[in-house]
């Protein structure tokens, strides 16, 4: 029987071990991006005044992200809307496509989630300094706190600020990895138990539904936390 | 776990960057403007429709008000005509009644004079008949009829007594 972690194996399809090798991970990134594009373009093709089902779905995605930015960032976040929207759709499709049997979950790799989180962290920090200048350093020492608490507060705030990309990336990576491992382990019992394998099989059905839910939820959480960090950079706290 | 094998870290980051940038460009240049355009068109259409509905409603209200005014005017006109007609009818009835009364009085008068004349005539005839009857009776009783002058005188006397 295959190991439960074999599903995470990255295999080069073209280019061997070079830095630009096209792997199964790259393939599923491309599939997700193409799916996002095709879904949006095809469903909006009619540009109908009264939307079709697919068109309303595309519009719902648009509205959800637009509302998320309006509620969490405010009007200053409008120009980051395309980025946040791309981030959400990409993570969502990568997460959900990871549920396809025989597929590959791009977001179950810490290097991918950390690259995204690090990019957001760096971008948000640059936006913060660009908006507030050196005043952005006040982030690490809240207004109204007694001066002597600076000794404790500043290191704590710095650690909490620096841990943002780590928590953001580890949350997504861990959720995707653990859920898929669990599914694989239980699925392994099905053939092993013979006729009694029906029991873990029945258990797999709600678990798969739960995994699907987590795939959507984690995409949402990753996106909304990005919005929160962006809001901190624009308005401080 | 393969996640911690650094062999394929570089290709994953490289392809993530390529795919994400391409997707970002597709979203920001093509897909999102299209959705925004459709949403914009819809909200414009809706507000435009609402405005038109409001204008139509105002127009309808105006028409209803005009219709009601017209109706009220027609009602008062009708009431006026009815009152006028009633007056006319009453006048005509009174005229006719008085004309009829005069006519009737005239007829009654004529009839009364005719009756009076007839009575006088009848009275005159009664005298002649009475004279004739008296002479006949006298002839039967006495065998000889008195002359007409004496009989007339006797009858006149009796009639005078009878009134």
């Amino acid at each position: 029987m295959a190991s439960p972690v074999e599903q995470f194996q990255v295999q080069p399809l073209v280019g061997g071990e070079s830095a630009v090798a096209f792997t199964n991970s790259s393939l599923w990134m491309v599939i997700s991006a193409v799916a996002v594009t095709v879904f949006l373009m095809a469903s909006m093709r009619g540009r109908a005044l009264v939307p079709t089902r697919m068109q309303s779905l595309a519009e719902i995605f648009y509205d959800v992200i637009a509302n998320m930015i309006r509620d969490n960032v405010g009007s200053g976040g409008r120009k980051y809307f395309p980025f946040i929207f791309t981030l959400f759709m990409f993570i969502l499709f990568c997460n959900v496509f990871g549920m396809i049997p025989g597929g590959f979950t791009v977001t179950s790799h810490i290097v991918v989630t950390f690259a995204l989180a690090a990019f957001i962290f760096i971008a948000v920090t640059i936006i913060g300094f660009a908006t507030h200048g050196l005043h952005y350093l006040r982030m690490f020492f809240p207004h109204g706190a007694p001066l002597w608490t600076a000794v404790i507060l500043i290191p704590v705030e710095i650690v909490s600020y620096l841990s943002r990309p780590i928590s953001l990336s580890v949350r997504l990576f861990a959720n995707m990895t653990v859920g898929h491992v669990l599914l694989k382990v239980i699925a392994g019992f099905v053939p092993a138990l013979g006729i009694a394998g029906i029991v873990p099989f029945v258990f797999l059905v709600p678990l798969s539904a739960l995994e699907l839910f987590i795939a959507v939820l984690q995409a949402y959480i990753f996106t909304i936390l990005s919005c929160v960090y962006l809001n901190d950079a624009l308005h401080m706290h | 776990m393969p996640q911690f094998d650094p062999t394929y870290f570089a290709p994953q980051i490289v392809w993530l960057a390529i795919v994400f940038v391409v997707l970002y460009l597709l979203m920001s240049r093509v897909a999102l403007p299209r959705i925004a355009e459709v949403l914009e068109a819809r909200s414009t259409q809706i507000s435009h429709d609402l405005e038109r509905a409001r204008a139509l409603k105002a127009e309808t209200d105006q028409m209803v008000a005009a219709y009601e005014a017209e109706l009220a005017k027609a009602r008062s006109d009708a009431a006026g005509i009815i009152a006028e007609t009633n007056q006319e009818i009453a006048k005509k009835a009174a005229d006719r009644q008085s004309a009829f009364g005069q006519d009737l009085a005239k007829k009654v008068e004529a009839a009364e004079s005719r009756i009076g004349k007839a009575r006088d005539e009848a009275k005159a005839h009664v005298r002649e008949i009475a004279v004739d009857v008296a002479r006949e009776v006298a002839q039967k009783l006495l065998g000889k009829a008195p002359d007409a002058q004496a009989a007339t005188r006797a009858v006149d006397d009796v009639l005078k007594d009878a009134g």
Side-chain angles (χ1 to χ4, degrees), chain B residues 8 22 35 43-44 48-49 64 75 77 83 85 90-91 107:
Chain B
Y8 294 106
V22 170
I35 300 176
S43 72
T44 313
H48 176 253
D49 282 359
V64 167
R75 255 196 212 120
D77 281 2
T85 311
K91 192 168 161 282
K107 272 185 183 157

Side-chain angles (χ1 to χ4, degrees), chain A residues 163-186:
Chain A
S163 65
R164 278 174 174 186
I166 298 165
S167 67
L168 193 60
S169 57
V170 168
R171 183 182 301 110
L172 180 58
F173 146 74
N175 269 287
M176 290 300 110
T177 304
V178 170
H180 284 58
V181 168
L182 186 66
L183 278 180
K184 194 81 174 182
V185 168
I186 294 174

Side-chain angles (χ1 to χ4, degrees), chain A residues 149-172:
Chain A
T149 56
V151 191
I152 311 161
L153 275 180
I154 288 174
V156 167
E157 288 285 341
I158 287 175
V159 168
S160 107
Y161 189 79
L162 293 178
S163 65
R164 278 174 174 186
I166 298 165
S167 67
L168 193 60
S169 57
V170 168
R171 183 182 301 110
L172 180 58

